[in-house]
Amino acid sequence: MFGIGAACIFSPSVSLPAQWHEKRRPLATGIAVAGSGAGGMVFTVATQKMMDTIGHKWTLRALALILLCVSGSAGMFYKRRVAVPRGGVNLGAIAKDLRLVAVGLAGLMVNISYFVPWLYLPTAALKIGQTKQAANNLVLYMNAGSTVGRVLAAYAAMLLGPINSIAIAYVICSVLVLVVMLAVKSMTGYIVLAVIYGGLSASFISITPLVLTNIFGTQAVTTAMGIMNMWCAVGVLIGNPSQGAIYQKFDRPHNTFTAMSIWGFAGLLLAACSYLLLKAIIVRNSPRKHLWSKL
């Protein structure tokens, strides 16, 4: 039930700003989605404090009340700018569109591997002798980087093109996860990875609504976002259990993070390749555009 509710909040929250802005659409979307990064920082600290003082049961009740008040009141102001076409949108045609399939594959691969640093970087910090509080702070640093990165991603999209910028960001993320988690054994390196990874990986959340709006238009972007989020959900269902199984079988017995680093690297790199596939599909259908075009 929580997942259904979260989906009902998330999809319109990231797609509606695109209907109200055109010239500054990347920036508007970036600012809108930056709220979840800021919320991650606040909720990370607040949840830990409440767990230590009132226990997990009352912590969950308090978080539920906060979400009801904040998200519920904010949702009352949501409004479509573009009316749904008479007869609705062609759901089947959108779902089978190769461009959406490419974006969906990117979402699948992102969510299969995205949470590797979020889940295992704190564990790596504990392995080198850091306190539990210091290890948990890495999640806070990633949320901080994510908040800023979601806004900066908008400027990168305007400068390089949304598809180009997100592909570059995930190539860098894949290399960072592989190199830092394999070679670095210091808290300073982990903090640097947390901030940079949080900032660059946020481009998927910030830029994907813009990409889908450019492809399907403002009338169908909410439908396209919903379908894309289904791909993401499958990625989460595959990724998190698989990561746990891989860590238990290959890394934990040897006190390493080799397998997890390779898993994260492969998934993030395939996500970047999926966006390059999207660009190739667009170029193929547009004679005036080239692979080096600003898309």
Side-chain angles (χ1 to χ4, degrees), residues 120 241-256 259-260:
Y120 294 97
S242 299
Q243 291 168 26
I246 291 170
Y247 176 73
Q248 292 293 337
K249 183 173 179 61
F250 297 104
D251 284 343
R252 190 170 185 178
H254 305 288
N255 201 28
T256 66
M260 293 311 307

Side-chain angles (χ1 to χ4, degrees), residues 27 30-31 145-158 165 199 206-207:
L27 183 59
I31 293 173
S146 178
T147 303
V148 177
R150 294 177 193 208
V151 179
L152 294 181
Y155 290 100
M158 290 187 285
S165 61
S206 182
I207 297 177

